[in-house]
Amino acid sequence: MSTQILIVGAGAIGAFYASRLARVPGVQVSVICRSNYKAVKAHGFQVTSPQYGDYTFTPTHTFANPEEARDSRTHWDYIVISTKALPDVSDDSAILEGLVGDRTAIVLVQNGLGVEQPYQTRFPHAAICSAVTIASCAQTSPGQIKHNRWTRINSGPYLPHLDVGGAKVSDAQAVEKNDAFIALLQEGGIKDAEAYDHAKLQLVRWHKIAINASMNPSSVLAGGVSNNAMSNDSELARHLRGVMEEVLATAPKVLGKPFPKEFATPERILRSTQKNTSGSKPSMALDWEQGKTMELEVILGNPIRIARERGFEMPRMQTLYALLRMAQETRDKAKQKSKL
């Protein structure tokens, strides 16, 4: 029996990982597309990568919406969510109604903190895998995926009860599903895919917050410049380092656990960014330029609130959040007025 995987949000990241999973014998990968539906339905995804070469990925099924996926009556082993997490706009867990079965694991490849809670609330008996990726990918036009560099992805079972108490019998299923998903990625050529336990994965989420919360909003405020350009500017690099250090100093106090020594320091992150000459911009900058809602809450708002509830402030991050939240509100109000 083949392994059935559904990708919800087949943009750059979702399509790239889908294309690698589809390389594994006995795995069938289907996608729910949005704006790129017509192009993908007609021609599949055209992937270019310095690491994997150029190839075409044709999904088993290309759905225009969740209803079509439900009508297919497929029993999904994994549903991978790679949409932007915008809890201030909508509860995307509702998309999965009628798709999650007894054996389905939900894999969340999303930025930010607190992204798992809506899915656990709606599907309390489903195994949830929380994944964090560092991959430079872009969809240059509908169905055209350009992978620039990096393929790191870590995933762990989401078991928040372990933060305050003991294990449950159902934990074993989540761990097994998570390990199996990572094994599929590795077989598909993602050599640096790695399975973590719940506690370490949450540390990974905070570590990526340090990167995203520094570079994403700063790019918007600096006029849409690339990560590379910011890291090579002396004053902006100093600012980025300050935000990252603030987050990395606060997270261990919140979680009660230190970061593993192998996690990259701000200096190492900046040096790596200085070498990335692809010219890629942070997703938040692209959203701002296209007039879309930015991931302010899961990248900035949630971490600030979580830390504040435990008595810790992050003034550098709070400044970025306050400025961008007001900028987005002002822009949206102007849009509404222009429609009247």
Side-chain angles (χ1 to χ4, degrees):
M1 185 180 295
S2 60
T3 298
Q4 298 289 338
I5 299 177
L6 176 65
I7 308 293
V8 179
I13 292 293
F16 170 68
Y17 282 121
S19 75
R20 303 316 307 171
L21 289 164
R23 295 269 165 154
V24 180
V27 173
Q28 295 189 336
V29 183
S30 300
V31 298
I32 297 178
C33 292
R34 292 181 178 175
S35 59
N36 57 357
Y37 170 74
K38 288 184 178 179
V40 176
K41 184 72 171 178
H43 308 292
F45 289 98
Q46 311 304 311
V47 183
T48 63
S49 168
Q51 185 170 346
Y52 302 102
D54 300 349
Y55 58 94
T56 298
F57 158 52
T58 303
T60 302
H61 299 289
T62 300
F63 302 117
N65 50 58
E67 287 72 23
E68 287 188 5
R70 281 189 278 272
D71 290 343
S72 74
R73 299 187 180 279
T74 303
H75 296 287
W76 304 106
D77 294 285
Y78 293 96
I79 299 178
V80 180
I81 310 296
S82 56
T83 56
K84 290 186 181 299
L86 301 170
D88 48 328
V89 176
S90 63
D91 178 4
D92 280 354
S93 68
I95 293 173
L96 304 193
E97 287 286 4
L99 294 172
V100 177
D102 294 339
R103 73 184 191 192
T104 306
I106 301 169
V107 182
L108 302 174
V109 187
Q110 295 181 303
N111 288 328
L113 292 181
V115 298
E116 306 96 344
Q117 188 57 50
Y119 295 88
Q120 187 184 58
T121 300
R122 190 177 295 273
F123 306 105
H125 302 297
I128 296 177
C129 305
S130 183
V132 176
T133 185
I134 302 289
S136 177
C137 297
Q139 184 167 210
T140 55
S141 61
Q144 303 292 316
I145 306 300
K146 181 182 180 183
H147 170 234
N148 297 308
R149 67 191 302 234
W150 301 311
T151 59
R152 173 162 290 281
I153 182 168
N154 306 113
S155 182
Y158 181 62
L159 307 170
H161 52 273
L162 295 180
D163 296 335
V164 294
K168 296 180 180 179
V169 175
S170 58
D171 292 357
Q173 179 191 4
V175 172
E176 181 182 336
K177 280 284 192 178
N178 184 74
D179 289 348
F181 183 72
I182 289 295
L184 290 174
L185 285 170
Q186 292 172 342
E187 193 173 349
I190 307 296
K191 302 301 183 185
D192 48 359
E194 192 171 356
Y196 284 175
D197 62 19
H198 165 78
K200 190 171 183 179
L201 196 283
Q202 292 306 309
L203 283 169
V204 173
R205 281 203 172 276
W206 273 95
H207 189 265
K208 191 176 181 185
I209 284 292
I211 300 171
N212 282 335
S214 60
M215 297 190 184
N216 272 276
S218 300
S219 175
V220 176
L221 294 171
V225 296
S226 68
N227 289 342
N228 177 267
M230 290 190 293
S231 67
N232 281 296
D233 179 89
S234 60
E235 288 300 322
L236 261 175
R238 182 185 294 268
H239 157 72
L240 295 175
R241 186 184 302 108
V243 177
M244 286 190 275
E245 289 174 345
E246 179 180 82
V247 175
L248 296 179
T250 303
K253 300 173 185 175
V254 172
L255 298 173
K257 304 177 184 67
F259 281 107
K261 291 182 179 180
E262 69 266 23
F263 281 25
T265 63
E267 281 300 330
R268 184 176 157 196
I269 293 167
L270 287 172
R271 285 198 302 270
S272 178
T273 306
Q274 288 166 352
K275 297 175 184 176
N276 181 11
T277 57
S278 68
S280 57
K281 297 181 181 181
S283 59
M284 199 176 282
L286 296 175
D287 287 339
W288 175 260
E289 291 172 355
Q290 296 167 19
K292 297 178 181 178
T293 302
M294 298 179 289
E295 291 179 294
L296 294 181
E297 297 308 321
V298 295
I299 291 177
L300 298 169
N302 282 356
I304 290 169
R305 286 185 286 270
I306 290 170
R308 187 173 290 159
E309 286 172 2
R310 289 159 176 78
F312 306 108
E313 291 291 336
M314 293 187 286
R316 287 178 179 267
M317 187 191 289
Q318 194 277 331
T319 298
L320 294 170
Y321 177 55
L323 290 170
L324 279 190
R325 190 176 69 164
M326 182 58 71
Q328 182 165 271
E329 288 179 0
T330 302
R331 182 197 65 185
D332 292 347
K333 287 178 182 177
K335 278 185 183 179
Q336 290 298 323
K337 284 185 179 179
S338 66
K339 293 179 181 179
L340 297 177

